Amino acid sequence: MKKVYISDLHIGDGKGKDDFSFDAELIEFLDQLIDFGCDELIIAGDGLELVNSSLAMSFGSSIFVPDTRGISRDLIDSITKRHEGVFKAFQRFSKTGKIVYVIGNHDYYLLFDSDLRKHLAEAFGGLERVSVLPYYFDPEMRILTLHGNQFDAVNRLSVDRETKEILIPFSEYMSRYMLEHFDSNLQRINVPEHILKDYHNVSPVLDVFNWFQYIRDFYDLKLDLMNLWNETFVKMLKTDFSKAWLKANYPYMRFLPDYSLIGMGG
C-alpha cells in the first residue's frame, strides 16, 4: 500500500486571509501521486480555509459555533470555483485512490454539518472514494491521524460552563476581533498589501512583535502599531468571550483579564 499524508493547505475563496497560490504545484503533485500509484491520500486537517472565508465572515461576531445550514453548498462552491483546476486534480486522483479528509480547526464547521461534509466529499470525487472524518485510524499501518488542534488550548473548541454551548476557538475570535478593531487601522493608513499578508500570517502568535519591528524599520508610519495592538489586545481580554473562554479552559485564571490592564499600563 502506498499512502501519502499532507496537511494545512488552507485552500480558500481568495478573499480575506486566504493566500493559497500554489494551484499549479498542487495539481502537479496530485498527478504525480496518480503516476506513482498512490493508494490513499490523507489530508491531516485544514485542507480548506473555511473560518476565514468571506461567507464565514458574514456569520457575524457570534462567540458560539455558527449554524451553517442553508449555505453549505455556497461555502464549498466559493472555494471550488476559485481553485477549479485543483479540485479536478483531486477528482482525477480519487478515481484510482482513496482520499481521507481529517477535520482541523480552520474547517471545523464540517464537524457540525453533515450536508457540508457530503458536499466536500463530492467536490473531491464522491462519497464512495472520499471520507471526511474528525480523526482517522489506519488499521493497516496502525497510524492515528489528528490535526492536533485538540491539544492546543487556543485552537480547540470549548464548552461554555454556563450555557453549555460550544465556543469557537480563541484564535478565531482573536482574528475576528483584531480584524474589526485593529486591522482596519492598517487599511486606513494604506499599509502595502504584501505587508498586510505578512501580518495576517503572524498575527495569532507573538511573532507579531517582530513584524512591528520590521514595519518600523522600513516604513514611516504615523501610528505606533505596537502600542495600538497591545491596547486592542487588552480590550479583547476584557470581552465576555475571553472571560467565558478562560472560565472554560483555565477556571483558576479567570481573573487574568482584570490584572492584564495593570501589567500593560492600561
Side-chain angles (χ1 to χ4, degrees), residues 43-59:
I43 303 173
D46 289 356
L48 301 189
E49 179 57 67
L50 297 186
V51 301
N52 285 317
S53 66
S54 55
L55 275 170
M57 290 297 177
S58 71
F59 294 157

Side-chain angles (χ1 to χ4, degrees), residues 72-140:
S72 297
R73 281 193 167 274
D74 291 337
L75 192 55
I76 298 298
D77 289 346
S78 63
I79 297 175
T80 58
K81 290 177 182 178
R82 174 73 179 184
H83 303 279
E84 186 176 357
V86 166
F87 282 88
K88 286 183 177 179
F90 276 119
Q91 291 165 10
R92 286 196 298 273
F93 175 85
S94 66
K95 290 180 179 179
T96 57
K98 292 185 178 181
I99 297 177
V100 177
Y101 187 106
V102 175
I103 301 169
N105 58 299
H106 279 248
D107 49 14
Y108 71 85
Y109 300 162
L110 293 161
L111 290 171
F112 305 97
D113 192 326
S114 59
D115 288 337
L116 197 61
R117 294 193 297 273
K118 179 180 178 181
H119 193 43
L120 176 62
E122 291 172 347
F124 275 103
L127 293 170
E128 293 183 357
R129 307 294 297 176
V130 181
S131 301
V132 182
L133 305 167
Y135 64 89
Y136 175 58
F137 178 72
D138 186 333
E140 297 167 337

Side-chain angles (χ1 to χ4, degrees), residues 199-213:
Y199 163 69
H200 288 157
N201 285 327
V202 303
S203 59
V205 294
L206 292 179
D207 286 342
V208 71
F209 297 111
N210 293 328
W211 181 84
F212 288 135
Q213 186 61 50

Side-chain angles (χ1 to χ4, degrees), residues 141-190:
M141 306 296 291
R142 300 187 64 79
I143 295 176
L144 175 64
T145 302
L146 295 166
H147 183 57
N149 60 292
Q150 297 90 340
F151 309 107
D152 183 359
V154 299
N155 285 314
R156 68 189 178 207
L157 297 166
S158 307
V159 178
D160 188 296
R161 287 173 175 255
E162 295 180 0
T163 67
K164 306 305 179 183
E165 293 185 84
I166 300 177
L167 295 165
I168 65 175
F170 186 88
S171 59
E172 181 184 354
Y173 176 77
M174 176 180 171
S175 176
R176 289 171 181 259
Y177 187 93
M178 288 301 192
L179 178 64
E180 180 179 353
H181 297 92
F182 176 76
D183 296 25
S184 58
N185 288 285
L186 301 182
Q187 296 169 354
R188 181 167 58 84
I189 60 177
N190 296 319

